[in-house]
Amino acid sequence: MTRKALLLSAALGLCLAAQARAQDTAAPPESPQEQPPLLPADLQDRGTALPPPLATASSEDANEIQFNADQIDYDYEAEIVTATGDVRLYRNSQRLRADRVVWNRNTGQVVAEGNIVLVSPEGDAAYGDRIELTDSLKDGMVENMLVVLDAGGRIAARRGVRNGGIITVENAAYTPCSVTDSANCPKEPSWKITADRVVYNPEVHRIRYTGARISIFGIASIPLPVFSHPIGGQSDDGFLTPDIRYSRTNGVQFALPYFFSLAPNRDLTITPRVYSSVLPMMQAEYRELNALGSFRVNAYGTYSRRSDDLTVPITPATSKNDFRGYLDMVGRYQLDPNWTASASLRLTSDRTFLRRYDISRDDRLRNNIRIERIDPDSYFSINAWVIQTLRVGERQGLQPFALPELDYRRRMNDGVIGGRFEFQVNTLAISRSDGQDSQRAFASARWDLRRLTAWGQELTLTAYGRGDVYNTSDSLLTTVASYRGKDGIGFRGIGAVAFDVKWPLVGEMFGGTQRISPRVQVVAAPRIENLAVPNEDARAVDLEDSNLFALNRFPGYDRFEDSTRFTFGIDYSLYLPGFTLDANVGQSYRLSSNATIFPDGTGLTDRLSDIVGRTVVRFRDFVSVTHRYRIDKDTFGIRRNELDAAIGSRATYVQLGYLRLNRNIGPALEDLQDREEARVGARVQISKFWAVSGSVLVDLTDRQEDITSQSDGFEPVRHRLGVSYEDDCLRLGLTWKRDYETTGDARRGNSYILSLAFKNLGR
């Protein structure tokens, strides 16, 4: 019979034997010592197309085999059926394709030969030269076998047995990596596991090895006598990739995480960290994702020598052995489409723990708990903050904690002339254990009306009003007089009116489009008693391009700019194919000659302000340069000079950063100290998979800029240099880091990190 679909049970009156009887006919594999070694070509695809389900696969009897074949022969006396010529069999989601299939009805044995591919219901494909199966097509023995897993990866062996869906092979190799190069020629995979025995259970999505070794690039070999891992993105218990480091402070570090898969949405990782120079440390990380949201808890704990006085070296006489640790927790829950609850908690036992163990470089830890409600026209939040300082010389008792802040905002159209109202109510309570306490509440209303004229001018009229009430105590504990306010309850009223005009002029230029937008703004506000209330959230003030046209150029709410001022500037944009240029520059003039509350050096002290601007240049995806500046109106000296540049592609690039704040402000105003620093980072893709990267941060501040600075004008802070390899299944890297600062037991020195990650090896 040629190219004709048949039902074996209907055409020949055959009924399949029971699966249990058929399993006994499977022949045992030969000894692995008799097999030749596996080569990279053994892991390649065999080039045989997967057999599709038959169009006639609609029988109600799950035990019937349906097939196509070029020719069928039936030996009635021996009860043997032989199908040849592109044979395709289908039974109960099991699919088989071969050049020749022989079925013995008496024994239930099915032998397939030539260009064989067998596909399981899970999607795993087994290739081989000769397969002995039961008549269920599920169990049997395969010679010269390759199993391509639907979840990723492949197993090769000279012989293998499939029993009850479980595949057992001897003298085998497994890899999830590519085994061919760009020319489709065989190549050694980045890593593979060879083993005396491999067992794959598709029901639990796990592969188990006996006598295994991991080979990297066919050279390095790591023994793993007993080893297993999940496949297909599944999570299961087991060890993760180790972490190996060396630092001058802690010596050699070895960490071996163990992962507990508690549920599909919950897991726990326990990481013991062993050091050659200090006592071990334990780390635990718990993660959970549920119907409302997710959260993560990460905790560290150890017992080592610490000192509260960071100005002296660590010695037995100046320090003590004590518990040291760190807690990091973050979570967010979406309670309904409008309400959310979130928290971010970070606490550490002392000021140098995070830096000593290379966990974080943060010098302040902010803890926040928040409840929010957001809809298209309103916003409501309840916030609480606690700050822990890690800076040398700062008193923890002066750090504020806010318990709590309530903020409600509502916007609506005025319904008369097309303007828009925005109402806000805000309360805040700030306390300190050793400093000033204050409470604040205000209610405000803002009205904006925006119109476009027939000539294209954009006109915006704004009216703003606010009423404040403050309560202050222990104000004399604040050393900066302008931050104190007055003890007791105080009231303040704020009002302002602004008129803003922009006129975009668009035309062709250099084969592209340019836009020139002159802008003028007038803001009028009566005199405000700013110094009568404390300043908690408006200290870091500086004239920038981002706040040049703001209604209030102070950050926060505790200070509001009064008097009448004119602000003028111009925006310029040029758009060419593959090239864009955006720039703005501006200045303001204050009518009043009264003394201002802006500190000297911020660019806003005199009636005529400094000149500020920003320039952004982009060329395709290869070059991006942003320059921000502030120029002294009298001397034309640069008071702020900030440059950020990125040049290159995603694989090879250079990142440059430079910042200089030259404001000449005294050391009393900590938030406005002068700084100068340079940052350089680069990555070079030296080949398809190899890359070299590095970065350095240099403190250029000297005593003329900041009398409290310990830098000599060129002091490296830290640098990093590394080489890495990454392909589709392996990530390998070696990094050298150096810290140039010593703080307590976090000493300056070198650190070396060796990272090795096997991709597609489960979690």
Side-chain angles (χ1 to χ4, degrees), residues 487-539:
D487 280 350
I489 298 176
F491 299 90
R492 182 178 63 173
I494 295 174
V497 177
F499 182 67
D500 194 302
V501 180
K502 287 194 295 185
W503 194 355
L505 305 173
V506 182
E508 295 183 357
M509 177 65 70
F510 305 126
T513 303
Q514 72 169 348
R515 185 180 68 230
I516 303 174
S517 303
R519 183 177 182 182
V520 177
Q521 181 196 56
V522 181
V523 179
R527 184 172 180 81
I528 300 170
E529 295 295 331
N530 279 293
L531 298 181
V533 300
N535 183 1
E536 298 282 6
D537 62 4
R539 298 181 179 183

Side-chain angles (χ1 to χ4, degrees), residues 429-706:
I430 292 181
S431 301
R432 297 175 176 85
S433 58
D434 296 328
Q436 175 177 287
D437 298 337
S438 64
Q439 297 83 42
R440 177 194 71 201
F442 70 80
S444 68
R446 175 169 174 161
W447 176 76
D448 292 282
L449 177 65
R450 179 177 175 269
R451 287 288 184 267
L452 296 177
T453 69
W455 286 8
Q457 294 100 337
E458 180 182 347
L459 310 178
T460 304
L461 179 62
T462 300
Y464 181 77
R466 197 176 90 196
D468 302 341
V469 57
Y470 280 82
N471 182 37
T472 308
S473 59
D474 298 325
S475 62
L476 294 180
L477 297 178
T478 299
T479 57
V480 180
S482 61
Y483 294 166
R484 291 176 184 167
K486 298 178 180 179
D487 280 350
I489 298 176
F491 299 90
R492 182 178 63 173
I494 295 174
V497 177
F499 182 67
D500 194 302
V501 180
K502 287 194 295 185
W503 194 355
L505 305 173
V506 182
E508 295 183 357
M509 177 65 70
F510 305 126
T513 303
Q514 72 169 348
R515 185 180 68 230
I516 303 174
S517 303
R519 183 177 182 182
V520 177
Q521 181 196 56
V522 181
V523 179
R527 184 172 180 81
I528 300 170
E529 295 295 331
N530 279 293
L531 298 181
V533 300
N535 183 1
E536 298 282 6
D537 62 4
R539 298 181 179 183
V541 59
D542 200 3
L543 180 62
E544 304 173 5
D545 64 283
S546 59
N547 65 6
L548 177 64
F549 287 92
L551 189 64
N552 178 30
R553 290 184 286 198
F554 279 100
Y557 299 105
D558 289 337
R559 292 290 182 265
F560 195 93
E561 186 176 1
D562 53 14
S563 75
T564 300
R565 67 178 183 271
F566 291 87
T567 306
F568 40 88
I570 187 170
D571 296 337
Y572 178 81
S573 298
L574 176 63
Y575 303 99
L576 303 176
F579 175 86
T580 61
L581 170 65
D582 291 286
N584 62 44
V585 63
Q587 194 176 18
S588 68
Y589 179 79
R590 183 165 49 89
L591 291 182
S592 174
S593 60
N594 295 330
T596 179
I597 60 173
F598 288 104
D600 290 336
T602 59
L604 292 164
T605 307
D606 298 331
R607 297 176 66 179
L608 184 64
S609 75
D610 287 347
I611 303 168
V612 294
R614 182 190 74 246
T615 303
V616 180
V617 177
R618 291 187 178 91
F619 176 70
R620 302 189 186 277
D621 291 331
F622 189 76
V623 176
S624 175
V625 179
T626 301
H627 181 220
R628 297 179 178 88
Y629 56 89
R630 176 162 65 88
I631 300 175
D632 190 290
K633 67 181 187 310
D634 298 320
T635 65
F636 295 101
I638 299 179
R639 297 300 182 186
R640 180 188 185 97
N641 193 10
E642 184 176 0
L643 177 69
D644 288 287
I647 304 171
S649 63
R650 293 186 177 183
T652 299
Y653 57 83
V654 177
Q655 292 179 329
L656 304 173
Y658 174 77
L659 171 65
R660 187 186 185 193
L661 301 176
N662 183 23
R663 295 176 290 202
N664 295 328
I665 297 177
L669 300 179
E670 175 194 4
D671 301 282
L672 298 173
Q673 293 298 296
D674 286 346
R675 291 289 184 271
E676 186 176 8
E677 67 178 34
R679 308 177 306 278
V680 179
R683 185 182 189 273
V684 179
Q685 191 79 31
I686 57 179
S687 68
K688 183 177 181 181
F689 301 119
W690 288 94
V692 177
S693 61
S695 63
V696 61
L697 174 63
V698 181
D699 185 3
L700 302 177
T701 309
D702 56 26
R703 284 187 166 270
Q704 289 184 346
E705 295 170 315
D706 181 6

